[in-house]
Each structure stands twice: as structure tokens, then as C-alpha cells.
Amino acid sequence: MENYVPMHECRVHKISIIVNRTHAILHSIAILFLIHYRLSFFFQHPPNITIPTLPWLLIFVSELLLCLAWLLTQFYRWRPVYRTVFPERLPADDKLPAIDVFICTADPNKEPSVEVMNTVISAMALDYPPEKLHVYVSDDAGSDATLRCTKEAWNFARYWVPFCRKYGLVTACPDVYFSSSEDGFKGSSEFKAERKKMEEKYEILKQRIRRIVQENHTDVPVNNKLNHSSIIEVINEYHKEKDEVKIPILVYVSREKRPSHHHNFKAGALNVLLRVSAMISNSPYILVLDCDMHCNDPTSARQAMCYHCDPQTSQSIAFVQFPQTFRNISEDDIYDSQLRFVFKIQWHGFDGAGGPTISGTNFYIKREALLGSFSKQQDLMALKRSFGPSNDFIKTLVEDYKPCFIKDGESSRMLLEHANVLASCSYEDQTTWGTKVGFLYFCVLEDYFTGFTLHRKGWKSVYLYPKRPQFLGISTTNFNETSIQWTRWVSGLTSVTISRFCPLICGPLKMSLVHLMCYLEVACMPLLCCLSVWGFALIPQLCLFNGIPLYPKISDSNFIVFSIIFISAISKSLYEVVSFGDQFKVWKNEWRIWMVKSVTCYTYGSLDAILNKLGIKEASFLPTNKVTDDEQVKLYEMGIFDFRAATMFLAPLVVVILVNFAAFVGAVFKALVVDDNGDRYWEKMFGQMFLSFYILVSNYVIIEGMIIRKDKASIPLSATLWSVVFSVFILLIGSAILC
């Protein structure tokens, strides 16, 4: 180790640590004063108690839940770290380990084939030795159209990959490259001529893909996406052109699916790819990509290998996680589709605590971390009990096993036959796939649970956030799809929270306290937020409607405590937005969408998990619709909410607005007209009036969608009328119960 040269470095942002820890201490002191104020109510002499106990208790519980949510977020802010890598220090290409790329697609109707194939092509163009790169496309729908499109993508890649390498293109995705101003060798006539030819080939590719998809819509499908046999095809037609540049092997995989077998969503597809790829390439490292997340920088593999190949970290690092970034984010990101807080703040702190969890896509993971390490002396029957009956797959688990894939040979045919067995829906029966090995099946959010389990076993992970986005995807740009996506995520997280796998139960003694609390925050945050926000959205308003004060008077010294907590929370979140170079409107949008998600997605997702736990409802997985609608995109780019969503997502928003509006207007009317001493009423009820006013102003877009807007994307009258009924019911029944 005397000549050891590090391939990476990690630095701690000291200013952020000082600001974060100072704020945490001061804010905590204010919270303790708040708790003292609330508790002192219960120790008053009974004749002095003029406020009903139930609403006081409920708002106190809401405050405690929100304070707990805030406290958990401080563990991310305790020690954020930032990393730099040095790919130029990697060993020579012939010493680099092989990589398998897994690309998952589930529904050709919701995931445009042109986008999917761009992801495939960009993965094949990674800056990595082609003989050590293998790309696998998992088609969970078993669509003939996807198979045909994959073959078209491979034919185009035969020309695209050499073109990228010859001119050193930094944009490996053809769709992005031809729609941008990047042109590399501006003064080279040869380059311009080749670029024009390549663009023509790409236009032909798009036309062919669209024609295939259109034909697939009109033809009667041979296979149903929930009932079809396994299909595995290695797309590597051998062409003997002179001086042809090698390109990676491309493999199409569609696992067998039957209605009688649970397919375990994305985790099930990834485990099939683990087994099939072991037979064909058995690379020690795996890159997992969503079908719409193309490789924006071809150097990502080399950057990840700076950790996986470093002798000081290679034995302990399970995976290297890159952020999710999106190329269709508007300047005014009204739905917070970029997930700014997660990838710019949260994951840096997660990394400083012990490593982030898996984020679903954009991570290079070690195969050994998922399957374990075995030797030839391992008990064969024990391995079969864990990994299934295939002797051929068991061979791949031995450290020195190297697959022998021969093009167009008898060995290849036999190998693919064995691989088809591994992709059958019954292969995992009576094994530990999904429970102890591979990607885990406990919930629909396989990434969180698998990452948590790896960290419990002692593995580590790192988070790389380079200046140039390594991967670019397509995010949801309408309210309905955003809500569906978040509801699915929340359902998976809450199912972990209310299970025996809750980090608080099975994490202690196996992880550091800070790392454990980071995992707990991710799992518990939706449930804590939905319960607390519903409390703040209704309880003070019902009491305001009935003239019952829940907050101290303005003249009371305790009012300062509530003011400090509110201003402190607002100021800190605004500071974090501005310090990362974002604008004030980003903060405004994030604050609003947090309230919106809390009463919709967080609520429904948590409820879905609870019903699933009780056995009332089965877990479901709805793929996000990635098909773009020009009208919806236009509204999103203009910063206008598109309320063409399910009533179940609209009704809670409208109900909250109506209840707050009724309470605020009623209080103003009482203060100005009814009450003889208006100043005293304002002083007594100011806290609740301000809260209602703040909620109304922050969510003005909902009021606009209900009353002002008359376009197709406004809130439907039917949803508003149903919400009026619910609001009246809440005001009447809630007032009777609480007051």
C-alpha cells in the first residue's frame, strides 16, 4: 500500500454542519417551550379550564408528530458529505471488471418505445470496454413490439456506438444529442457529413419503432402481459465488416408470467435478470436503469469503478448511487418533479451517515452483495435450497466461474435453454429468492428495503453527485401521474414502517444511530406528515369556527415561541433552497406541494399499506404513465396546475380549502360585526386566523382552479360540489364532537 493513490476523495461541508447543528439546537429549545406550554394546560385547576380538552389534545398530538418529523430530518443534516472521483487513476481497460446493465420496462402503452430504446442505445455507448459491457432489456409485458424495437435499436447501435467513440461524444443518447447544439468537431467536414448520415439513420429508426408500435396496437396480441411464456433472445447478429468496432451484447428477456403466480413487480423482474445474466455474462457489477433514464454521460461506469476498484473500498462498497435528474423539468417546477430536497440535501446527509439507500435506478451494485460469495466446497444442497434446483446456475455462484457464450454455437443454444428455465414463474418456489437473496420482495419499494437490508448486513454505499448529470430521465409533468407515483412510493414505505422490518425494530445494534434514524425518516415521514397536516388543516379551523382559542394571545409571551418555530422552519428551508442556487419560487412550490401531497398521496399511500397489512386489500403496482400529452406539457411549462385528476386526489384539497375559508371568513365577520370588542377577539384568535390565511394563500392555485379558471384543466364542478357536502359535514359533525 506504499504506492497507493486514492481514486476518490470525500469532503465534509463544514459551513453546512455549523449552520445545521446551530439551527437544530435553537429550534429544539423552542420546541421544548412549546411542549411545556401544551402540557401545562393539563395541570391547571379544573375551574380555570375554559377550553375543551379534546381539540387541545389533538392539536398537541399534531404538533408532536410534526416535531418528530422535523427531528428525524436533522439526522440528514448532521454530516453531509460531497465526493469527487479520479477515473484517470483506474487500471488499464483489460483490468477493469465486467458490467451488466439491467433496463426494466413494464408497459409499452405507458412507456414510449422510442424513449426506452434511447435508454438501451445510450447504455451500449457507455465509455467502457465493449467486451466487458452487456445490456439486458427486461420486458415484463412480453410484448412482441418491444422485442422487435430492441432489434432495431441494436442495428442502429452498430453505427451509433462507433460514431460516439470516434468523435468522443459526451451525449450518448441520440434523441438528446440530435435535439441539442452539441456538434463536437465544428470545423471538420468529415464529422459534419457523418453526423448528417447518423441523424438520418436515427430518423429512420424512430419511424420504424413507431410503425412497430402502431402495428402492435392494431394486431391481436399473441401474449397477455400477465400470462405468457418466457422469452430470451441474444441480439448479436454477427457482421463481418472490416474494421468494425465491437459493441456490447444486447439481450432481450421476458420472464414467464401466469395469473396463478405472484410476479413480485420490479423486484421479481430484476431477480430474473440476475439469474439469466449469470448464465450469459456473470459480470461482477450491475448497473440498474429505469427504461426512461438514459445515460447522459458515458463516463458514469468509470466513475463508479473508482470505488468498486479501489483496494481500500472495494470489499465493503455494495453500490454506488447516482442522483435521478430529469430533462423535462420546467423553470417553474410546480409539482417538485425534480425531487430537489431528496437528491440535493437528503442523500448527501444519508451518505455522511453511512451511505444512501438504493434509489430505484442509476446505481452500480456488486453482484456479490445481492447473492453472496461461495466456493466450490460449499454444500450443494444448501445452495439449491436458497437459489433453486438449477445446477447450471449454482455453478455461476462459484468465484472462478466464467460463462462460455459462443455465438451461433450449440453451447449457446443449450445455455439459453437453461436460462429460460431460470426465467420461469415457478423457479423461485421453495427458495429464498426475494426473502434473503437478490432484490427483496417485502414491499413494492424493493429499492428501499433491499438497500436497508444490505446496510444491516454491514455493506456500505456511496452517493456521487457530479456536476454533469450522469443520467437523465423523464419525470411526471401532471398532477394525476405525480399523485399516483407518490401514492405507490408511500404505500411501500409505510408497509415497512408498520411491519417487523421497521428500522426502529430490526436496525438497532446493526447500524449507527444516525444511519438508522435516516432510514427511519424515509419510512415514517409520509405517515407522520399526513397525520400532522390533517390535524393542522382541520382542528384549529373547527375551533376558530366556534370561537375556541388553541394558541396563546398575541400579548402572551408564549406567542413568541410559536412565532419563532414558524419563522425558524420557514427561514431554514428558504436558506437551503437559496444556498443551492435555486430561486424563491422553488421554495414556494416545494412548501405548497408538501401540503398537497400530505393530504392526498401520503394519506392514500399510508391507508393502502394499512389495509394491505390487515389483509383487506392486496398490494398493487401501477406503472407511471410516461406518454406525454402536448397540452399537459404546455400547462406544466407555463406553471399552471393541471387538475384533470381522479376525484380522490382533488376532493381532499378542496375540502381543506373550503373548511379553512369558512373558518377564516367566519372569524373575520365575527371580529368586525358580531363581537363588541373586536380587538380582543383578534388578539385571542389571531394564531388560528393566521394559520387559515396562510393555508389559503399558499394554496391559491386550488382556489383559482375551483373558482377563477374555466379551462379543461380546472377543478371539475362535480368535485367541488362533492367537497362542499363533505366540508359541511366536517363543520357540523366536527364542531359537535370537538366543541
Side-chain angles (χ1 to χ4, degrees), residues 522-588:
V522 175
C524 296
M525 183 57 67
L527 187 60
L528 293 175
C529 286
C530 75
L531 292 174
S532 59
V533 171
W534 271 113
F536 281 106
L538 295 180
I539 305 302
Q541 291 73 12
L542 290 172
C543 292
L544 177 62
F545 194 74
N546 292 275
I548 300 172
L550 291 181
Y551 295 101
K553 299 177 182 179
I554 299 179
S555 57
D556 191 334
S557 59
N558 287 303
F559 185 81
I560 299 175
V561 173
F562 287 87
S563 302
I564 289 175
I565 291 174
F566 177 78
I567 295 172
S568 171
I570 294 290
S571 302
K572 183 59 164 59
S573 61
L574 181 59
Y575 163 78
E576 289 179 340
V577 170
V578 175
S579 64
F580 275 90
D582 294 304
Q583 300 178 6
F584 172 80
K585 60 183 176 182
V586 172
W587 169 83
K588 180 187 67 174

Side-chain angles (χ1 to χ4, degrees), residues 479 600 643-655 715-716 719 723:
F479 179 59
T600 55
F643 290 108
R644 283 173 291 186
T647 304
M648 62 178 286
F649 293 124
L650 298 178
L653 301 178
V654 179
V655 166
I715 296 177
S723 300

Side-chain angles (χ1 to χ4, degrees), residues 66-98:
L66 196 60
C67 289
L68 177 58
W70 171 83
L71 179 63
L72 290 175
T73 63
Q74 300 316 298
F75 290 97
Y76 290 112
R77 298 176 168 94
W78 195 249
R79 186 178 176 271
V81 299
Y82 302 84
R83 298 182 182 272
T84 306
V85 293
F86 308 105
E88 65 275 7
R89 298 177 183 175
L90 283 171
D93 284 3
D94 59 342
K95 300 276 180 63
L96 290 175

Side-chain angles (χ1 to χ4, degrees), residues 436-485:
K436 293 183 179 179
V437 297
F439 291 90
L440 305 184
Y441 295 158
F442 175 69
C443 64
V444 295
L445 229 59
E446 81 294 327
D447 47 1
Y448 171 90
F449 191 54
T450 302
F452 176 56
T453 303
L454 290 175
H455 282 125
R456 284 178 58 225
K457 291 179 178 179
W459 288 99
K460 296 180 180 179
S461 63
V462 297
Y463 180 57
L464 274 181
Y465 195 103
K467 290 183 179 180
R468 177 179 171 83
Q470 300 298 290
F471 304 93
L472 280 177
I474 302 294
S475 184
T476 52
T477 55
N478 65 79
F479 179 59
N480 189 59
E481 291 301 325
T482 299
S483 300
I484 291 173
Q485 185 179 62

Side-chain angles (χ1 to χ4, degrees), residues 353-367:
T357 189
I358 297 173
S359 304
T361 181
N362 308 352
F363 61 95
Y364 287 83
I365 191 166
K366 182 183 292 187
R367 187 182 290 265

